[in-house]
Amino acid sequence: MTQILLVLTTVATQADAQVLARSMVEQRLAACAHIEAIDSVYRWQGAVQQEGEWRLLLKTTAARYPALEAALRAQHPYELPAIVAVPCAHALPAFADGVATEVAPT
């Protein structure tokens, strides 16, 4: 079965999230993207910050992850973006095949 990864990143605005999501799907680096509003608490440059952010959850394959990461880094508005890939221990085989099909280079 194809190794599926769930890739997470955050941005400051819904518009930034939509731009990244659409770009990654259009480039066939992600099969789909989910966008959701979140409240983040984090330490940045020595101070605790709390603000709203937008989280992207991108579905891709392990094989396409390096290209997805490179594209996210190139287009991400943050100086130091959080880009985290989590492997799926289990996935419906037909779903995994569908993700692989959607991110296959043309």
Side-chain angles (χ1 to χ4, degrees):
M1 179 171 65
T2 301
Q3 177 63 56
I4 300 300
L5 299 180
L6 303 178
V7 180
L8 300 155
T9 193
T10 55
V11 292
T13 69
Q14 184 178 20
D16 285 343
Q18 290 169 337
V19 166
L20 281 178
R22 186 165 195 89
S23 178
M24 298 308 115
V25 173
E26 285 177 346
Q27 294 179 70
R28 299 184 74 98
L29 299 174
C32 68
H34 296 204
I35 300 170
E36 57 189 334
I38 60 171
D39 189 36
S40 295
V41 178
Y42 57 95
R43 184 176 296 278
W44 177 247
Q45 299 179 339
V48 175
Q49 309 288 325
Q50 183 170 359
E51 58 194 11
E53 288 188 294
W54 293 83
R55 178 171 44 219
L56 275 78
L57 172 80
L58 302 148
K59 298 171 189 169
T60 194
T61 61
R64 291 296 275 164
Y65 177 76
L68 173 63
E69 180 188 288
L72 283 172
R73 289 175 56 117
Q75 296 177 38
H76 207 288
Y78 283 2
E79 177 183 342
L80 178 60
I83 301 171
V84 179
V86 180
C88 291
H90 304 282
L92 184 68
F95 169 76
D97 290 345
V99 169
T101 297
E102 293 304 321
V103 299
T106 57

